Amino acid sequence: PDIISMSWGWREDAQCSITHCTNETSAIYIERVNMEYVKLGLRGVSIVTASGDAGAPGRTNEDCYNESKVNAVYPGASPWVTSVGGTFIVKDNETRKWTTTMCIDNDCFTGNKERVTNFNYTGWTSGGGFSKYTNRSTYGWQVKAVDDYLSSNIPLPNDFARHGRAYPDVSMIGHSCPVVMNGNIDGIDGTSCSSPLFATVLSILNEHQLARGRNKIGFASPLLYAMFYSNYYIFNDITEGNNYCTEDMCCDTRSNGGSDYGYMAGFGYDPVYGLGTPNVERMKDWLDLFT
C-alpha cells in the first residue's frame, strides 16, 4: 500500500512491558522498529499514526500520579511517522437544512469552531508531547517550528524532553466519527479515527500528484513542515486547548495556567494540535507551485 494508518500506542519507555524484548531495552526496541519505518519511507510509503487518547500523561498515568507526569506514546512519537491528534466540533445552536443523506438521517453536528479533544468535553484527551529517545535536531525539518513554540513564553511542564521529537504533526476530527456497524451508523471516538482520516487526505494528495505526472507524497512529515514554513495558512491554526487531561480526569494546573502534566496550545506549531488541521485545497495549490 502507498499509505499505512496505525491506531495503537503505549508509553515510549515502557515498550518492553507489553512485548517480549528478550535482552533488549525499550530504547533498543524503538530504535530497531524505527529503522523499519525508515525503510518503508524510503520505498515511498506514507505512515500515519494516532497520537493517543490519554493526553500528555498517557495511559500509564491516567490518574495524574506524581511520578513521570508526561509520557510520550510510541509509535506516535516516532520521527519517521506522521502523528495525528484529535479534534472535535464545538456544537452551536444553528439549524441547517442538510442536503446529504448522512446528515438528513443522523442529525450532523453544526458549528464552525474546532478544538482539541479533552476529557472535560469529550471524555478523553488527544495525546501529544516530546520523545525521550529522539532528538529533533538529528532530522531537522521540525526544529524551527518547535523551537518557536518553546521560546514563546508559553507555560510548560517543569520536566519534559525539551530537545525531543515533538508530536503530533497535524490534527483531524476524532469525535463522533460515523462508522457503519451491522448496518447501523455509530459515532466513535479516538485518534484512531483521526489517523485514517489524515491517511485519506494523503490519498487525495497522491491522486492529485499522479494526475499531473508527479511523484506521490511518500514520507509526509518533511513536506508538511515545508508547506507550513512556506505558507502558514495551509493549516488551520487553533490556539485554544491543552492536553493535561487523560481519559479519566484532568490533572493539576499551576497558577500561570500551565501544568506539569501537559502542554498548552499556542500560535503556530504546538504539541497539542501539531501544525493544525489541513486545508486540502491549499495543499494542492502548494504542490502545484513547488513540486
Side-chain angles (χ1 to χ4, degrees):
D2 292 328
I3 303 168
I4 297 171
S5 175
M6 298 189 293
S7 293
W8 68 84
W10 192 248
R11 178 171 160 173
E12 185 184 46
D13 58 3
Q15 292 293 296
C16 292
S17 70
I18 55 169
T19 190
H20 298 291
C21 293
T22 59
N23 295 323
E24 297 177 348
T25 63
S26 290
I28 294 172
Y29 171 82
I30 283 176
E31 182 180 14
R32 179 69 179 84
V33 176
N34 275 342
M35 289 310 300
E36 298 305 314
Y37 295 155
V38 170
K39 293 175 187 177
L40 286 167
L42 289 171
R43 293 174 60 184
V45 175
S46 304
I47 307 174
V48 294
T49 307
S51 72
D53 299 347
R59 285 207 165 113
T60 59
N61 195 17
E62 296 271 20
D63 296 325
C64 305
Y65 295 130
N66 289 326
E67 184 180 358
S68 191
K69 295 179 173 66
V70 291
N71 302 284
V73 171
Y74 189 83
S78 169
W80 310 112
V81 305
T82 299
S83 182
V84 187
T87 63
F88 73 102
I89 299 297
V90 180
K91 193 171 184 178
D92 61 25
N93 295 319
E94 290 189 21
T95 300
R96 287 185 173 85
K97 185 176 181 180
W98 299 112
T99 58
T100 63
T101 302
M102 171 73 77
C103 291
I104 291 172
D105 293 344
N106 296 280
D107 188 26
C108 288
F109 272 51
T110 63
N112 55 17
K113 292 183 179 179
E114 198 170 356
R115 297 287 183 268
V116 68
T117 55
N118 184 283
F119 175 79
N120 285 327
Y121 305 105
T122 58
W124 61 281
T125 309
S126 181
F130 292 78
S131 169
K132 294 180 179 179
Y133 293 146
T134 307
N135 191 312
R136 61 183 174 276
S137 66
T138 61
Y139 53 87
W141 56 82
Q142 197 187 39
V143 170
K144 184 181 185 308
V146 179
D147 286 355
D148 286 349
Y149 171 77
L150 294 176
S151 62
S152 66
N153 294 320
I154 198 165
L156 295 164
N158 285 326
D159 184 21
F160 69 102
R162 178 175 290 269
H163 301 289
R165 180 271 204 271
Y167 75 102
D169 296 299
V170 294
S171 291
M172 295 286 288
I173 289 291
H175 176 58
S176 291
C177 303
V179 172
V180 177
M181 299 178 66
N182 300 321
N184 298 313
I185 294 178
D186 292 325
I188 65 160
D189 276 35
T191 52
S192 295
C193 166
S194 310
S195 180
L197 279 178
F198 191 70
T200 303
V201 170
L202 294 181
S203 295
I204 292 170
L205 298 182
N206 276 347
E207 184 179 58
H208 179 82
Q209 291 290 84
L210 291 173
R212 288 153 181 79
R214 300 192 292 249
N215 292 331
K216 293 177 288 187
I217 300 301
F219 176 39
S221 293
L223 184 69
L224 298 175
Y225 286 88
M227 288 179 174
F228 173 76
Y229 296 138
S230 174
N231 182 357
Y232 175 87
Y233 297 101
I234 283 178
F235 298 92
N236 304 311
D237 187 20
I238 309 169
T239 59
E240 297 180 37
N242 63 74
N243 58 13
Y244 38 77
C245 299
T246 67
E247 294 169 299
D248 292 344
M249 62 186 296
C250 284
C251 304
D252 292 339
T253 58
R254 303 192 302 257
S255 59
N256 62 2
S259 172
D260 287 337
Y261 293 89
Y263 309 88
M264 298 178 67
F267 291 98
Y269 179 87
D270 57 62
V272 178
Y273 297 98
L275 299 171
T277 58
N279 185 310
V280 180
E281 292 305 314
R282 289 177 181 170
M283 290 174 129
K284 290 180 181 178
D285 291 342
W286 190 94
L287 291 171
D288 290 341
L289 285 173
F290 296 104
T291 63

